[in-house]
Amino acid sequence: MSQDAIVVLDFETTGLSPLQGDRAIEIGAVKLQQGVVVDRFQQLMNPGFAVSSFIADYTGITNAMLSDAPSCETVMADFADFIQGCHLVAHNASFDQKFLTAEFARIDLEQSQPFACSLLLARRLFQAVPNHQLGTLVNYLGIANDGVFHRALNDAEVTGALWLALSDAVSQRWACPAPSFELMLKLQRQPKHQLEKFMRAYLG
DNA sequence: TGCCAGGCCCTCTTTAGGGCCTT
């Protein structure tokens, strides 16, 4: 896979913190190549314990659905192959990155790819939106969806579309070609009030 | 016993507090 491929991913999990014992229960991802979805990955995985009623309600993923799912270790090994050589994107990437790092560590793998965050970019580029939850941004931007949120592949699909909208927003606002992944990484780290200054310097 | 995430970002800030976002 060429180095400019981007995997947009989303985890469903048993809770908020792998350090508190939470595990992944589903991974969904789309692979983008030059702005087009060229591959997809979706898999439930059995965390080895029952999920809470809150998580079952929140995600729609029940213990019955997980009972015959493969283990996290098996799924994450396959997912490591899927993302090899790709840049990574997620909405609130710090959340997905900590679960990816934790699940990989259990099978002696390291997560080393650059990881961009559509939440941080949206806060900088779409400041008029009431909030920057994924669902709000999807509705605000008119991104096609089937109304199902909190399932991994669905969220990854719309986050992929959000990523392309963010890229288009940069191109239109600064009348420049489609930004590289590296430029998006730099933009997400700029203080809001320095975006214009940063881009003027970047574009020369 | 009681506690229980953590990074980002704003502001009535920086010797801090609290909202936002993810499950």
Side-chain angles (χ1 to χ4, degrees):
Chain A
M1 183 57 65
S2 102
Q3 291 184 338
D4 59 359
I6 295 172
V7 168
V8 184
L9 64 96
D10 182 70
F11 276 108
E12 304 306 318
T13 70
T14 64
L16 292 171
S17 174
L19 291 179
Q20 300 290 322
D22 289 317
R23 299 295 303 273
I25 55 174
E26 188 180 40
I27 179 71
V30 296
K31 187 174 288 183
L32 299 175
Q33 189 88 48
Q34 297 180 336
V36 176
V37 175
V38 296
D39 204 357
R40 289 176 171 83
F41 189 103
Q42 180 183 31
Q43 186 63 59
L44 291 168
M45 52 193 126
N46 191 326
F49 56 88
V51 302
S52 67
S53 58
F54 171 82
I55 292 298
D57 290 343
Y58 187 81
T59 65
I61 299 170
T62 64
N63 286 301
M65 293 165 65
L66 297 173
S67 62
D68 58 353
S71 69
C72 296
E73 289 78 5
T74 298
V75 173
M76 295 313 297
D78 290 342
F79 191 63
D81 291 337
F82 183 80
I83 67 174
Q84 188 171 19
C86 298
H87 298 319
L88 303 178
V89 171
H91 197 66
N92 197 17
S94 66
F95 175 85
D96 293 278
Q97 185 167 26
K98 69 184 178 183
F99 273 95
L100 185 61
T101 298
E103 293 294 347
F104 271 11
R106 289 173 175 269
I107 52 175
D108 294 324
L109 293 177
E110 288 188 6
Q111 189 275 306
S112 56
Q113 290 101 319
F115 215 134
C117 179
S118 57
L119 169 64
L120 295 181
L121 283 160
R123 282 176 173 164
R124 286 159 176 75
L125 296 170
F126 300 138
Q127 296 188 31
V129 192
N131 63 63
H132 297 86
Q133 296 172 21
L134 183 59
T136 301
L137 288 162
V138 165
N139 290 328
Y140 177 84
L141 295 167
I143 291 173
N145 70 92
D146 59 9
V148 175
F149 287 96
H150 309 306
R151 283 301 299 269
L153 183 58
N154 289 291
D155 284 5
E157 295 268 10
V158 294
T159 303
L162 170 59
W163 175 260
L164 298 179
L166 289 161
S167 176
D168 287 346
V170 171
S171 296
Q172 291 179 19
R173 179 165 167 181
W174 287 286
C176 62
S180 66
F181 184 87
E182 287 73 17
L183 174 55
M184 297 292 265
L185 269 182
K186 290 177 180 173
L187 271 175
Q188 79 176 36
R189 296 174 185 137
Q190 298 303 312
K192 286 179 190 174
H193 63 279
Q194 290 185 9
L195 279 186
E196 294 296 336
K197 179 181 177 183
F198 169 80
M199 284 301 292
R200 280 198 302 272
Y202 182 86
L203 294 170

